[in-house]
Structure formats: C-alpha cells, structure tokens
Amino acid sequence: DIQMTQSPSSLSASVGDRVTITCRASQSISSYLNWYQQKPGKAPKLLIYAASSLQSGVPSRFSGSGSGTDFTLTISSLQPEDFATYYCQQSYSTLSITFGQGTRLEIK
Amino acid sequence: EVQLVESGGGLVQPGRSLRLSCTASGFTFGDYAMSWVRQAPGKGLEWVGFIRSKAYGGTTEYAASVKGRFTISRDDSKSIAYLQMNSLKTEDTAVYYCTRVGGSWYGDYYYYYMDVWGKGTTVTVSS
C-alpha cells in the first residue's frame, strides 16, 4: 500500500494567517492527490482534487500544489470557518486508496 | 439536490453481521462508482472499499482490513449501494460514510475523488 504522511499533525494559527499543510507519499503518485476538510461531527468535504484543482464552491483562499511524492495545501488567509481537520488522500492506486493521518488546525 | 443517506447502523455483537444501505438521489446513480469510508472514534479516515459502475464491470476493491469479510454491492434500479459486513470485530466500530466517486479528465489521465459524502451511520461492535 502507498503510505501518506501529513505534517504537522496539528497546528495553531490565527485568523488571517497563511497556513501550509504538507502531505508526502511513500512512492510517486503523479498528481493523484486529493484534499478534504472535516469539521467535528460532520462528514468530510472535498476541497482539492488532482493535486491543484479547486472543487466547485470551495473558496479561492484554498490552493493545492505538488506532484510526485510531495504535496501542499495552502490557506492564504485563515477564516474562522477554516478551523477543522484536513486529510490528504491518494487515488493513484485503484486497488487501495489511502488517507493521510490528518492535520488538526486549531485557533491560536 | 445531490444527496447520499446511509442507514442500517447500530449495535451488534462480535462475530455477527450487519448490512448498511446508501440511498442516492439527485444524480444518475448508475453512472458512478461508489465507495465506503469509515472513521473509528477519535481516529482518521479509513477507506473500506468501492464498487465500479456497471459500465466498468461493477467490480469491487477492498481494504486489506475488511477483505473477505465485507462485500459491497449495488442496485442501480433503486439507486442504493450496500455494505454487507460479516464476522464483525470490535475494531470495526466506526462511523461509516458512503461516498460518490467522481472524476475528471486532464489530457490522457483520469483523476478520481470522493465528491459527495453522506452524513454517516454509526456501527458499534460490542458484546
């Protein structure tokens, strides 16, 4: 299986900050990388697919980049509603989909 | 409105079976692959498996942790996906989410993702 490792596991930030979350794959996955946001007690929501494509309806302050093994999710200016847990997920292997362990974004 | 609604969760003893249902609305169900993802209490997301659309053979793939115990099926006439869970273990305790698998072409490459999620149904395996 392809292992996905996110860093950091948690971080504290303030409204208006620029935040970057990193996801690393154990082998090259080209651009087969998606990002999800999950708020407590809610289902995850797709933010970014194919490493850098913004899902319809998602604010433009969210962006994704990377290819191969290293990827980033950037929030350009944190808003109060962005405090949540973020997961990366690889879709390179159709036989086994894997998620990162999650990054919890908290208010400083 | 595009929507997925899971049902069938509950409390079950170890070794027993349970079947979850995922009822879809607002889109042409038969055109999409469907997936199940679970989340144990306080833990991250774990992919359980998926079923391809009939156009791609309706075949299934499973995570190693559930292979041989869980079966995903679909009834396109009813717009329902199922997750049959047998020989349940305490570690199967989780919220189970049904997802639609969408996709997009970029050049020669097809990228797929889980673009619609249900609210989840809770499965508790305990004696």
Side-chain angles (χ1 to χ4, degrees):
Chain A
D1 286 2
I2 300 172
Q3 306 303 316
M4 307 300 294
T5 304
Q6 291 180 231
S7 61
S9 294
S10 65
L11 77 151
S12 298
S14 302
V15 173
D17 284 354
R18 179 183 180 89
V19 167
T20 297
I21 298 169
T22 297
C23 179
R24 175 164 288 175
S26 60
Q27 66 180 73
S28 177
I29 58 170
S30 183
S31 297
Y32 292 89
L33 192 283
N34 306 317
W35 289 98
Y36 301 86
Q37 175 195 65
Q38 186 180 34
K39 297 181 180 179
K42 301 293 186 182
K45 170 187 172 183
L46 176 67
L47 297 177
I48 301 283
Y49 62 93
S52 60
S53 295
L54 194 67
Q55 171 70 347
S56 176
V58 174
S60 58
R61 63 180 179 274
F62 290 92
S63 64
S65 64
S67 66
T69 60
D70 295 317
F71 302 86
T72 59
L73 172 69
T74 299
I75 309 172
S76 60
S77 178
L78 271 175
Q79 298 301 301
E81 60 267 30
D82 300 337
F83 292 95
T85 300
Y86 293 84
Y87 294 92
C88 62
Q89 172 244 319
Q90 63 83 14
S91 59
Y92 178 82
S93 170
T94 58
L95 301 182
S96 181
I97 294 169
T98 46
F99 289 89
Q101 81 278 16
T103 295
R104 184 175 178 184
L105 178 54
E106 300 174 318
I107 300 173
K108 184 181 288 185
Chain B
E1 179 191 8
V2 174
Q3 195 173 11
L4 299 172
V5 178
E6 302 93 338
S7 59
L11 175 63
V12 61
Q13 293 179 327
R16 304 297 291 266
S17 298
L18 200 64
R19 188 178 80 161
L20 305 183
S21 299
C22 169
T23 303
S25 59
F27 64 98
T28 304
F29 180 78
D31 288 349
Y32 290 86
M34 299 297 294
S35 182
W36 289 89
V37 174
R38 69 183 180 183
Q39 187 169 37
K43 302 296 184 182
L45 302 173
E46 179 187 17
W47 172 72
V48 172
F50 70 79
I51 184 165
R52 297 177 178 86
S53 67
K54 291 289 196 298
Y56 290 88
T59 52
T60 53
E61 308 293 347
Y62 300 96
S65 57
V66 306
K67 198 168 187 177
R69 299 189 299 124
F70 289 13
T71 301
I72 298 173
S73 60
R74 62 189 300 154
D75 185 336
D76 290 354
S77 68
K78 296 181 179 178
S79 297
I80 300 177
Y82 299 100
L83 177 64
Q84 177 67 44
M85 304 185 292
N86 298 332
S87 303
L88 281 161
K89 305 176 181 180
T90 55
E91 51 264 41
D92 295 319
T93 294
V95 175
Y96 284 74
Y97 295 102
C98 171
T99 85
R100 185 180 80 171
V101 181
S104 299
W105 284 99
Y106 287 92
D108 295 333
Y109 301 97
Y110 188 73
Y111 295 87
Y112 65 96
Y113 39 80
M114 301 179 206
D115 63 348
V116 180
W117 294 64
K119 294 183 177 180
T121 188
T122 300
V123 173
T124 303
V125 184
S126 174
S127 54

